Structures are given as structure tokens and as C-alpha cells.
Amino acid sequence: MTALREVGILGTGSYAPERVLSNHDLEKLVDTNDEWIVSRTGMRERRLVSEGQATSDLACESAKRAMEDAGVGAGDIDLVILATVTPDHLVPSTACILQARLGLVNASAFDINVACSGFVTGMNVAKSLIAAGAYNRVLVIGAETMSSILNYKDRGSCILFGDASGAAVLGPYAGQGKILDMHTGADGTGGMSMVVPAGGSRKPCTPEVVAADEHKLVMKGNEVYKFAVAKFKDLVVEQLARTGYKPSDIDLVIPHQVNLRIIESALSRLDIDPARIYINLDRYGNTSAGSVPLALDEARRAGRFQSGSLVSLVAFGAGLTWASSLIRW
Ligand SMILES: CC(C)(COP(=O)(O)OP(=O)(O)OC[C@H]1O[C@@H](n2cnc3c(N)ncnc32)[C@H](O)[C@@H]1OP(=O)(O)O)[C@@H](O)C(=O)NCCC(=O)NCCS
């Protein structure tokens, strides 16, 4: 049997649309206020697409930046994995739309639907395929237009999310971003805690469905809150147990940007200095599959980690799903 190859992150990129929706803007849409949102979530503003902009448009920008950063051309990519719960269309996949847009003529392409765990899950799938020798340059993207499925009459959910995209090019390890450990998991019994009830085969869209906003996200906030705190803690503890590192060895944790209270609550159960957690949810909210790659790219470009740093990615979300990855940058 051929030995498995080591896999690295060759480049990263991200893109958030320009339009800003602040807490004060939300006060005009639903019965809420800036003080409530900041104290319960840590969020101050989020980005939204402009009229006519869709998930593939966000994905395209972040992918171009990641490919440029990695120094690869369109012909070099042999697989595109695009994580999203807000595809441009039900069919075809947004990955195929992107493949055509970027002229990735040598690439296979498919979407994965793992919600907020999407990018890290996509990375882990890519890592396995590259390690096995099946592909050489995989473009992994997390991209979401959450505003397209939010109910802006529901103050319990619409305040939390924004639109954004992030991407990475993975390939055989070449001295940067070696993936040391990965894990993914799911518990479908919790699936109905975050659901878009209609628009799929169970309940196709009709005028009645749309009038009742059943094509929009419905969330049991308290259930998700408890799951997220526990899963965040478990993912880090298990990652350290598998790899033999101590909490103090981790230079930066890049968590899914879910909610500052959830992150702080999980951290209080872990022996990790809060200064070693990357947070940008105050500026973008929760951008689902876009969240971790946007934070990874921002943190990297801001010099929050360097060559040799140990970086932990931790994500969890609807499904329920979760994924983690440990990287020696
Ligand atoms: C949604 C969330 C912020 C609600 O915070 P909370 O402290 O649990 O608030 P509760 O749901 O207990 O509601 C408390 C009160 O605030 C009200 N409230 C809810 N949203 C509000 C808002 N945007 N503005 C003002 N008041 C609000 C509720 O109606 C409730 O009022 P009541 O006591 O009169 O009934 C929190 O549960 C959460 O973050 N959950 C996780 C959701 C998530 O991150 N999902 C994505 C995971 S990937």
C-alpha cells in the first residue's frame, strides 16, 4: 500500500459583501435594541449581499483570492468542494457554477450541506482525498447568503447571521499549514433545532408556504446554545487528547463565530487564554460556512499566527454537525 501524503494549506482568501447591517438598522426591522444584541451575542454589525448578489458571487471572490495566495492557476485545481446551506439554486450545485465561472476545466465539483461545520468538514474531506493521492489541488470554499433564508420578522434568529465567504487551496504539504489532526461528526436526532421547513421535497414552496414564511430559518435558540457550548469544549478536549498537545501549546483557536457568550462559556471550561481566541463576530455576525474560513484568512493576514504556530479550527452547526482541525502553520 502506498504511504499517505502529508497535506497542507497552500493559500487562503475571503470576501464579505460591502453592505453593512448594524444593530441600529435591525431596530428598525424588529423589536430589538443594540444593548440587547451586544450583551447576548457580542455582535454589532453584519454584512449583507446587495440586490442580485448570490452565494456563488461571494464564493468567486474568496476563491480567486485563495488561488492567487496559493500561486495556482485555473488549470491546476482538480476538485472544488463548496460548503453552503444557501446555494444559488437547488440544482445545479453552486460548486459547478463556480467551476464554470473560474474556468476550472480540470476540476470535479460538488457542494456539501453541513451548515456552520461546512468549511472545516470540506477541508477534512479534501485532506483525506489528497493524502490518498486521489487529487492534488483542492479548492475548499465556505460561502453563505444567510440573508436569503432569514426571517426578518423573527428577532430571535435574524439578528445573529450575516453573509460572507472564505476559501483555501489544499495540496500536498509544501512547508506551510500542515494539517495534523481532523475530526467530523453528526447527530441527526437534533436536526429539527435549526430547520428551513419548506422549499425541499418534504414541503415544496407554494404561495401559502411563502405567506407563512416556512421557507425561512426556524431555530430553537436555547437548544442550540447548550449544544454549541458543550460541543465546542468537547472538540478542543478531544483534539488535544488525540494529538498529545496541552491547551497552552495552542497559539490560536479559530472557532465558528457563533456568539461571544457561547465562546466565552466554552472557554471557561477550557484552560485556554482568551487572548488566544480569534473573534470577528462583532463585525460579521455568524456567517455559517463562511465563518471559519473568513476568520482564518483575516487572522492570518493580520499576523495573528505565523509559520510554526499551532492553530485549532473548531466548528459546529445545524444537522447537528461538528468538525475540527489542528494545523501546524
Ligand atoms: C438566540 C439567543 C441569542 C437568545 O438569547 P437568550 O439569552 O437565550 O434569550 P431567550 O431566547 O431566553 O429570550 C430572552 C428574552 O429575550 C427576548 N428576545 C429574543 N430575541 C431578542 C432580540 N433580538 N431583542 C430583544 N429581545 C429578544 C425573548 O423574546 C425573551 O423575552 P421574554 O423573556 O419576554 O420571553 C441564544 O439563545 C443563542 O445565541 N442561541 C444559539 C443560536 C445560534 O447561535 N444558532 C446558530 C448555531 S450555528
Side-chain angles (χ1 to χ4, degrees):
M1 200 177 117
T2 332
L4 290 178
R5 300 191 291 184
E6 291 187 320
V7 177
I9 299 178
L10 311 182
T12 62
S14 60
Y15 173 74
E18 283 75 29
R19 190 153 72 100
V20 174
L21 185 76
S22 69
N23 291 349
H24 295 294
D25 295 328
L26 280 163
E27 288 171 3
K28 294 172 201 144
L29 298 175
V30 283
D31 180 14
T32 190
N33 58 77
D34 178 59
E35 193 276 326
W36 193 97
I37 301 175
V38 173
S39 65
R40 302 293 175 117
T41 71
M43 294 168 189
R44 294 180 184 277
E45 58 185 43
R46 58 291 292 140
R47 304 293 186 87
L48 297 193
V49 291
S50 304
E51 179 102 35
Q53 230 178 356
T55 295
S56 67
D57 302 315
L58 309 185
C60 203
E61 285 308 312
S62 63
K64 278 197 243 171
R65 292 173 189 185
M67 287 168 61
E68 190 185 337
D69 187 44
V72 297
D76 299 325
I77 302 290
D78 49 13
L79 176 64
V80 180
I81 302 176
L82 192 147
T84 190
V85 291
T86 51
D88 285 19
H89 308 281
L90 283 178
V91 181
S93 74
T94 306
C96 280
I97 294 170
L98 188 75
Q99 190 250 17
R101 281 268 293 276
L102 294 178
L104 310 177
V105 290
N106 297 318
S108 302
F110 57 82
D111 284 2
I112 55 171
N113 176 335
V114 212
C116 308
S117 318
F119 175 79
V120 184
T121 302
M123 242 183 64
N124 291 347
V125 172
K127 190 227 177 224
S128 308
L129 292 169
I130 296 165
Y135 294 92
N136 279 313
R137 294 280 182 276
V138 182
L139 175 61
V140 182
I141 306 134
E144 301 284 12
T145 308
M146 290 304 286
S147 57
S148 68
I149 58 165
L150 291 179
N151 180 352
Y152 284 99
K153 295 175 209 142
D154 174 14
R155 65 180 182 171
S157 61
C158 75
I159 57 147
L160 295 172
F161 298 93
D163 303 336
S165 170
V169 178
L170 271 63
Y173 176 63
Q176 174 182 284
K178 188 196 287 183
I179 301 173
L180 304 178
D181 178 69
M182 59 177 211
H183 170 72
T184 62
D187 175 10
T189 62
M192 288 302 128
S193 57
M194 274 180 282
V195 58
V196 176
S201 59
R202 177 67 60 197
K203 199 172 209 185
C205 265
T206 61
E208 294 73 30
V209 155
V210 173
D213 285 322
E214 289 182 285
H215 60 312
K216 303 289 185 184
L217 180 73
V218 179
M219 191 182 72
K220 294 180 187 143
N222 287 332
E223 279 180 23
V224 179
Y225 190 98
K226 286 182 211 141
F227 156 73
V229 171
K231 188 49 72 181
F232 184 160
K233 189 205 87 184
D234 290 349
L235 284 171
V236 176
V237 168
E238 289 163 14
Q239 183 178 66
L240 294 173
R242 279 193 304 276
T243 55
Y245 288 108
K246 302 186 295 299
S248 57
D249 292 328
I250 299 182
D251 295 294
L252 194 66
V253 179
I254 301 181
H256 170 42
Q257 302 291 310
V258 58
N259 172 329
L260 191 58
R261 272 200 307 152
I262 291 177
I263 294 172
E264 286 176 345
S265 181
L267 270 186
S268 68
R269 292 151 215 228
L270 292 161
D271 187 19
I272 295 179
D273 178 356
R276 295 186 176 203
I277 310 292
Y278 190 74
I279 303 286
N280 66 7
L281 59 82
D282 50 324
R283 288 173 289 127
Y284 300 108
N286 174 348
T287 60
S288 184
S291 146
V292 171
L294 172 64
L296 172 70
D297 184 53
E298 248 197 24
R300 185 177 161 227
R301 288 175 197 260
R304 287 292 301 273
F305 61 90
Q306 294 84 27
S307 180
S309 298
L310 197 60
V311 180
S312 171
L313 309 184
V314 181
F316 33 81
L320 299 166
T321 59
W322 53 88
S324 68
S325 191
L326 189 67
I327 300 157
R328 174 66 74 189
W329 200 264

